[in-house]
Amino acid sequence: MSGRLLRLVCTAAMVAGTLLAPVPALAVPDPGPSAAQSPSEPSAEEEPSVAALLTDLQRLYREAEQATETYDTTAGRLKRQRAEVRRLDGQLVHARLSLHDRRGALGRLARQQYQSSSGISPYVQLLLARDPQHALEQGHVIRQLALERAETVTRLVGGEQRTDGLARAARAALDEQLTLAEKQKRDRDAVRKRLREVEELLATLSTEQLSELADLERGEVAGKQREFITSGALSTDRTPSGEGERALRQAVAQLGKPYEWGAEGPASFDCSGLTSQAWEEAGRPIPRTSQEQWARLPHIPLAELRPGDLVVYFPGATHVALYLGSGMVVQAPRPGAKVKVSPIAANPVLGAVRPDPDGKPLLRYTPPKLPADATAGSDEGYSLATEPTQATGTGTGADYAPVSEPR
């Protein structure tokens, strides 16, 4: 090996040794207390308490029911608006046919006037007539015809104006219908979103957690009911009116049918669908939604409740039930639940309304017979089901079912 080559090899070895030598570890600063997890913050693995879960579920159900009531209100307005559009369309068709007939009549008058025109003034015709009296009579007839022609023209002009007005009203009504249809779609999406949140929360819970939730809720409702009864807010039972009895029996006949948002029977109901249909069957139609029922029906003190009256819940009047008597109500509680009998204090009471303030109490009244499982199930609508996509049918809880949409 030449000396030059040897020097190159030695130099390369020295460089490689330097590059491959271990590098001293850099000092890493010790994380201070600020970087550590605060002792007061819950761990990510910590599960919420059953009480917190119950609170979350109750909130979600309230939001879902409020969205449902908004949907029902929009659906009612849309139904009325469609009827208005049909009415205006019918009137517009009739007005256009009438206008066509009047234009034809005016055309005939114009042709008659043209064909009978002699170019001689009526005054000259009278002077030249052999029988002036006959000419005068003809002149009277001619004046009458002229008046009829003027009236025909006036009716034609009025018909055109009415037809134009109806056409504008029909277009405006159709625009309003389209606006309401779009709002109904948004309201429907809001309900679906809230119910998906309920489903997602329920899907994370174990059988034990669901059981604890049901126990906690039963204890909570029982405590509220005892407090409500002992407060003296309810007086001794009163008898219903004739219409109230029919409405109540109609509601009791629906026990066991599923809750379905937007539904008003006959196979399923939401809360105000049950109350409105019960009273309609009794012969006294009432507003469709709980908020309209609270706003438009006469309010009564709780101490004057009689069977068939409506008990309205929550500050926003988003839930409603029929008073059964003895501190109990018939209601369609929540999605996943069924029409059932519940304590009046199962939800926060806002007040009560009476659909038939002029109704006379019955002298004799026998309360409707209830099935053995009338009170079975959760008033909040979730269940002890181990498979949250199917109903268990055990009767031990408000069997959870998939969220269904109104037909």
Side-chain angles (χ1 to χ4, degrees):
M1 181 182 297
S2 65
R4 184 177 180 183
L5 181 57
L6 181 60
R7 284 194 300 274
L8 289 174
V9 171
C10 292
T11 302
M14 292 175 62
V15 172
T18 303
L19 294 175
L20 296 175
V23 180
L26 297 176
V28 179
D30 182 28
S34 60
Q37 184 180 17
S38 172
S40 61
E41 296 179 358
S43 168
E45 301 297 327
E46 183 180 344
E47 293 185 354
S49 67
V50 174
L53 288 173
L54 180 59
T55 300
D56 287 344
L57 275 173
Q58 290 172 337
R59 174 184 57 81
L60 289 173
Y61 277 126
R62 284 197 301 272
E63 291 175 355
E65 190 150 43
Q66 186 170 6
T68 299
E69 289 298 299
T70 302
Y71 171 89
D72 289 342
T73 299
T74 304
R77 291 176 58 194
L78 181 58
K79 182 178 179 180
R80 292 191 294 272
Q81 192 63 30
R82 283 172 175 158
E84 177 68 6
V85 169
R86 288 193 297 270
R87 184 185 69 82
L88 288 172
D89 284 346
Q91 289 185 348
L92 183 58
V93 169
H94 179 74
R96 283 173 172 166
L97 290 174
S98 177
L99 182 62
H100 177 75
D101 293 342
R102 289 172 183 175
R103 283 173 175 165
L106 185 62
R108 287 192 297 272
L109 286 175
R111 287 192 298 272
Q112 291 171 3
Q113 184 175 6
Y114 175 78
Q115 292 168 357
S116 61
S117 175
S118 63
I120 303 176
S121 71
Y123 178 71
V124 174
Q125 292 180 20
L126 179 63
L127 291 176
L128 298 177
R130 295 181 179 180
D131 187 351
Q133 182 63 36
H134 179 66
L136 287 173
E137 291 175 354
Q138 282 185 324
H140 176 72
V141 172
I142 291 172
R143 284 194 298 274
Q144 287 297 114
L145 290 174
L147 288 175
E148 290 179 6
R149 291 168 183 168
E151 290 176 357
T152 301
V153 172
T154 301
R155 286 195 298 269
L156 177 64
V157 173
E160 289 178 338
Q161 292 175 345
R162 182 170 183 270
T163 302
D164 290 342
L166 283 172
R168 288 193 297 270
R171 285 194 297 270
L174 181 58
D175 289 342
E176 177 66 14
Q177 175 179 316
L178 295 174
T179 300
L180 286 173
E182 184 61 30
K183 185 178 186 305
Q184 185 189 40
K185 187 183 299 183
R186 293 195 301 270
D187 294 340
R188 177 201 64 194
D189 293 342
V191 178
R192 289 175 175 173
K193 181 177 182 295
R194 292 293 182 269
L195 294 181
R196 277 197 301 269
E197 292 173 355
V198 173
E199 287 184 325
E200 290 168 359
L201 178 55
L202 287 171
T204 65
L205 304 182
S206 65
T207 304
E208 291 75 13
Q209 286 176 312
L210 288 170
S211 179
E212 290 178 21
L213 276 173
D215 291 341
L216 180 61
E217 183 209 344
R218 280 193 290 268
E220 185 179 273
V221 170
K224 290 179 179 178
Q225 182 76 353
R226 283 194 301 271
E227 182 179 347
F228 192 86
I229 297 299
T230 56
S231 69
L234 293 177
S235 65
T236 56
D237 285 343
R238 300 165 181 260
T239 59
S241 64
E243 290 176 326
E245 181 188 29
R246 290 195 294 273
L248 184 58
R249 293 190 184 280
Q250 173 67 16
V252 168
Q254 314 312 315
L255 289 172
K257 293 185 178 180
Y259 179 105
E260 181 180 348
W261 63 273
E264 46 190 337
S268 56
F269 298 86
D270 64 16
C271 68
S272 55
L274 177 67
T275 56
S276 61
Q277 286 303 301
W279 272 95
E280 183 171 347
E281 289 294 324
R284 180 75 66 110
I286 63 174
R288 167 63 176 87
T289 68
S290 61
Q291 293 168 331
E292 290 176 325
Q293 291 167 7
W294 174 249
R296 294 167 55 187
L297 297 179
H299 292 203
I300 58 169
L302 294 177
E304 297 180 10
L305 271 175
R306 67 188 187 192
D309 289 340
L310 305 184
V311 182
V312 184
Y313 295 93
F314 300 109
T318 54
H319 188 65
V320 65
L322 282 93
Y323 188 59
L324 177 63
S326 302
M328 306 296 282
V329 296
V330 181
Q331 64 162 343
R334 299 288 188 273
K338 298 176 182 178
V339 178
K340 66 184 297 289
V341 173
S342 301
I344 190 174
N347 296 292
V349 176
L350 175 62
V353 294
R354 177 165 293 164
D356 62 336
D358 54 341
K360 302 298 182 183
L362 296 174
L363 297 178
R364 295 181 180 180
Y365 168 64
T366 302
K369 186 176 180 180
L370 302 177
D373 60 349
T375 60
S378 167
D379 298 302
E380 291 298 333
Y382 55 84
S383 75
L384 308 181
T386 56
E387 297 181 6
T389 57
Q390 297 178 355
T392 62
T394 60
T396 58
D399 303 327
Y400 180 74
V403 173
S404 54
E405 299 173 15
R407 289 181 290 275

